[in-house]
Amino acid sequence: MEPVYRLTISCPDAVGIVAKVSQFLAQYNGTITEANHHADLNSGWFFMRNEIKADSIPFDLNTFCDAFNPIAQSLNMKWQITDSRIKPKVILMVSKQNHCLADLLNRWHNGELDCEICAVISNHNDLEEQVNWYGLHFHHVPVDPKNKQPHFDEVSKLIDQYQAQTIVLARYMQILPETVCKKYEGQIINIHHSFLPSFVGAKPYHQAYERGVKLIGATCHYVTEQLDAGPIIDQDVARISHRDTVEEMVRLGKDVERSVLARGLRWHLQDRVIVHGNKTIVFS
Ligand SMILES: Nc1nc2c(c(=O)[nH]1)N[C@@H](CN(C=O)c1ccc(C(=O)N[C@@H](CCC(=O)O)C(=O)O)cc1)CN2
């Protein structure tokens, strides 16, 4: 893949934003290989994502930031620029279900997920052998139902030790405390096994079965302290019928969970997701 810089911008809408950013890049002979914009007329905010050929910019990222800052400040931008050659560090968190973990590990192993998986953390040791097969670190951090805080403290310590920027809850089944959610805001991605906002919380397939739904789904979202209510990155559904037992719904749902989590994570790793309030703009 051609090395690129990924420039993402959010700012109050105004005339000339695209022109000023494009003029800045042209001034330094920057070659734009992908450009996406969105003006949210309801909120009055503007969102941009540019990919720029890394070797077309005559200086490093720190110098780029110094040069771009005056424009960013003049337009009250929230912005970031990353280099596609630097693999994002990812930690996966699981409990007992392995279908999402197995899918992510396989995609990572065959190069579909361009990231560094630093480790897998679990409150159970069921999946240790599967993780070790890939030569990855596995940390079993048990949960004491009477006092969960030591578990969360150890999880936070491991995230910081590995310097992971992204944490993926791949059917990890513990509710993270507000402290953890705030500390890693915008960095924790969850796969919820329903089409949110329907069926929040535990056992959504059982809730759906009792409701008699004709569609089941999965939702990839950022984690906030409010359970299964964070900004949605991606969703999908599958048809079911009265003939399906809840076990069949779970089986059919797993395919949706796997594809939605992989797609949402890939977009996040490519800086294609911008969070604004409790929503996302996804430049897929
Ligand atoms: N703060 C948040 N934590 C978590 C979120 C979230 O959105 N915000 N998503 C969940 C994942 N999840 C559904 O997708 C989910 C996981 C666990 C539970 C739950 O009730 N867990 C029980 C313990 C269950 C057990 O010990 O087996 C609990 O934590 O008390 C509901 C929904 C991940 N965390």
Side-chain angles (χ1 to χ4, degrees), residues 148 172-176 181 190 192 221 223-224 227-228:
K148 298 191 176 186
Y172 168 79
M173 301 309 284
Q174 294 297 316
I175 298 175
L176 296 175
C181 296
N190 180 54
H192 181 71
H221 65 93
V223 167
T224 60
L227 186 62
D228 300 328

Side-chain angles (χ1 to χ4, degrees), residues 131-184:
V131 170
N132 290 338
W133 186 88
Y134 285 92
L136 294 171
H137 298 296
F138 181 91
H139 296 273
H140 176 208
V141 185
V143 169
D144 174 357
K146 298 185 182 65
N147 176 18
K148 298 191 176 186
Q149 195 55 49
H151 167 82
F152 298 124
D153 291 345
E154 179 63 15
V155 166
S156 184
K157 182 180 164 191
L158 287 167
I159 291 168
D160 295 345
Q161 278 176 351
Y162 282 110
Q163 297 180 316
Q165 299 102 345
T166 298
I167 301 99
V168 181
L169 308 186
R171 294 301 302 277
Y172 168 79
M173 301 309 284
Q174 294 297 316
I175 298 175
L176 296 175
E178 182 177 1
T179 50
V180 173
C181 296
K182 292 286 189 200
K183 182 175 180 182
Y184 304 106

